[in-house]
Amino acid sequence: MKIKLKAGITALSLVATTLFAADIRIDGFPDYDTQINAIKSGLPQHNITMLKNNHGDHHNKLKTNLATGTGAGDVVLIDVGFVGSFVNAGGFVDLTKYYKDIADDYASYAVAAGKGNDGKQYAVPVDLGPGVMYYRRDYMEDMGFDINKVMTDWDTYIDYGRKLKEKDILLIGNASALANAYYRFNVADDEGLYFDKDGKSLVTSERFVRAFEIAKTVRDEGLDGQISEWTEDWYSGFRDGKFATQMSGAWLLGHLKNWIAPETSGLWGVSNLPDGTYGSWGGSYLAIPKQAKNPEASWDLINYMISQPIQLAGFKNIAAFPAHTGTYNDASFEEPIEFLRGQKARMLFADIVENVTPVTPMKGDLIAEDLINQALEKVLDDGEDINKALKDVENQLRRRVR
């Protein structure tokens, strides 16, 4: 039997819940602790707590919890980069019966990525990362460049970098982001990121070769700063204007605005990626481990967190871009963003979400991602031949992913 919530923030949510109270622990990473604290009063029937770890520690812990069958929360937050491997390794409750009637309310590519290879829904999207290019307006239109011409394709984007170099301005912090964007966002229909539908490796395909070539060109011509992301040098690069562009999920806006470079408000804009490429750069999922004591109550929390009003609250609280596409009709999406010099960027983010092609998650994705990143470092930092580096990855995948 189900009941309706009635009061306080629950007026926003009206989410069906179980009749009995339960202790529900959600395991996750920042900034979802802020979101949980802001919304948990809307689900007063249950006692909700959160176990927060940093991004890496959280996923390492969850991996151990799933392997040992103990220690996981009742609900767990999963970064999209981990969802394919975790879901297909087993360990999560099949959510199909809960989710199937509401799945059409959410971005279709993200819904697909939460399914296992058996077609069942084991994880549901809670926020998305529409792939975009943030750029410095003082290095773009203020210098006479046209963003639409610059982003025509990958070659025009690199040509822009060459012109910036003449002015002692770097194109991007690290060329590796270009390779990542290219091979992640040019996946053919019915293919996985690293494997085809039959599990055969795709890492020596033209998609990966071209991605590595783009990054190597930028590195070899001295157009990037060789700055590792999420370091103090990277943060100061944004603040000091060391580089002109950064590819990312839409979520970077919140970080730039709130703590990385708030003093640069008005200097930034955002656009589609080069060549009109659509893609997803990040995002988070919710799942229930099989070891959870009360899956029905756990679903209450998930159902609440993915409800339309709470998705909007998350957008405002922590800049988590909603997975619920019904939120895109909210008036806030038409509001200009001061940090982006008045650009109405949320409509761009929504347009990207609606055009992203689903990518099938595979069991060996995490292993492949790690090997590809290592190969890219060898190519960019040590000058290793691209085809040899990718062939080595393919050989290792043949041994490690069965």
Side-chain angles (χ1 to χ4, degrees):
M1 184 181 296
K2 306 291 185 182
I3 63 173
K4 300 285 188 180
L5 296 174
K6 297 179 180 179
I9 195 171
T10 60
L12 295 173
S13 56
L14 296 179
V15 177
T17 71
T18 55
L19 278 172
F20 49 86
D23 292 330
I24 306 172
R25 193 187 86 201
I26 175 171
D27 289 2
F29 45 83
D31 295 325
Y32 265 93
D33 52 324
T34 301
Q35 171 71 344
I36 291 295
N37 286 332
I39 67 170
K40 65 181 182 181
S41 62
L43 204 58
Q45 186 177 4
H46 301 306
N47 176 36
I48 299 168
T49 58
M50 181 168 181
L51 178 62
K52 180 185 73 172
N53 278 297
N54 67 46
H55 186 273
D57 289 346
H58 164 71
H59 289 97
N60 288 335
K61 175 182 177 298
L62 180 55
K63 183 178 180 180
T64 300
N65 295 152
L66 295 176
T68 60
T70 185
D74 302 284
V75 175
V76 293
L77 192 66
I78 309 168
D79 182 276
V80 65
F82 294 83
V83 74
S85 294
F86 281 6
V87 161
N88 287 308
F92 291 129
V93 173
D94 177 10
L95 302 178
T96 306
K97 68 176 182 180
Y98 303 111
Y99 193 63
K100 62 181 181 180
D101 292 336
I102 59 174
D104 288 346
D105 293 336
Y106 300 85
S108 57
Y109 80 87
V111 172
K115 292 182 178 178
N117 291 339
D118 60 3
K120 296 179 179 177
Q121 194 81 43
Y122 293 101
V124 301
V126 64
D127 68 71
L128 309 176
V132 294
M133 176 81 78
Y134 286 99
Y135 65 93
R136 293 276 297 217
R137 291 185 181 275
D138 48 339
Y139 300 157
M140 187 65 72
E141 58 257 47
D142 293 356
M143 285 187 171
F145 295 104
D146 182 335
I147 180 63
N148 295 319
K149 292 181 179 177
V150 167
M151 296 302 172
T152 299
D153 55 37
W154 293 90
D155 291 331
T156 57
Y157 170 70
I158 294 173
D159 281 342
Y160 169 63
R162 294 179 178 122
K163 293 169 183 171
L164 289 178
K165 186 180 179 183
E166 295 172 359
K167 304 175 185 295
D168 293 326
I169 300 169
L170 296 170
L171 177 62
I172 193 168
N174 197 300
S176 61
L178 307 182
N180 271 285
Y182 190 90
Y183 80 70
R184 288 178 183 279
F185 301 158
N186 286 283
V187 179
D189 292 343
D190 299 325
E191 281 189 351
L193 193 55
Y194 305 100
F195 305 93
D196 68 12
K197 60 183 180 182
D198 298 319
K200 182 181 177 183
S201 166
L202 296 168
V203 298
T204 57
S205 66
E206 177 58 28
R207 173 162 56 94
F208 282 89
V209 173
R210 174 64 173 149
F212 276 45
E213 288 175 343
I214 290 171
K216 183 172 171 52
T217 297
V218 169
R219 174 61 56 83
D220 288 352
E221 295 191 24
L223 307 183
D224 79 322
Q226 304 186 35
I227 302 170
S228 297
E229 296 182 357
W230 305 107
T231 62
E232 184 52 44
D233 283 347
W234 195 60
Y235 306 147
S236 65
F238 285 107
R239 291 193 292 268
D240 300 339
K242 291 180 181 175
F243 43 84
T245 66
Q246 180 62 46
M247 296 180 185
S248 170
W251 42 261
L252 183 61
L253 173 61
H255 295 302
L256 290 174
K257 179 181 175 182
N258 295 330
W259 62 275
I260 292 180
E263 63 275 31
T264 61
S265 178
L267 295 179
W268 292 92
V270 63
S271 80
N272 287 102
L273 294 166
D275 202 22
T277 305
Y278 290 105
S280 174
W281 201 305
S284 307
Y285 286 76
L286 295 167
I288 302 173
K290 288 180 178 176
Q291 58 195 270
K293 297 177 182 175
N294 191 336
E296 292 287 337
S298 297
W299 175 253
D300 282 348
L301 176 57
I302 292 178
N303 197 27
Y304 177 60
M305 291 180 67
I306 63 174
S307 65
Q308 184 166 333
I310 300 306
Q311 289 269 280
L312 278 172
F315 195 25
K316 294 171 183 174
N317 290 334
I318 59 172
F321 195 81
H324 195 306
T325 57
T327 61
Y328 306 161
N329 295 320
D330 187 80
S332 62
F333 275 72
E334 294 279 2
E335 295 174 357
I337 299 175
E338 183 179 351
F339 190 84
L340 300 177
R341 202 180 284 184
Q343 186 175 356
K344 297 179 179 179
R346 298 183 183 103
M347 297 305 296
L348 170 65
F349 302 157
D351 176 69
I352 292 170
V353 166
E354 292 170 353
N355 283 281
V356 172
T357 302
V359 176
T360 304
M362 299 288 185
K363 184 178 181 179
D365 281 355
L366 272 183
I367 295 173
E369 179 179 288
D370 184 50
L371 293 174
I372 282 292
N373 286 337
Q374 292 178 34
L376 185 58
E377 283 186 12
K378 291 178 182 176
V379 168
L380 297 181
D381 297 342
D382 304 328
E384 184 158 305
D385 177 75
I386 291 174
N387 290 310
K388 178 184 182 304
L390 293 174
K391 187 65 179 177
D392 288 346
V393 173
E394 185 176 70
N395 290 336
Q396 292 186 67
L397 288 175
R398 193 174 292 121
R399 293 194 299 270
R400 295 177 60 181
V401 179
R402 299 178 186 277

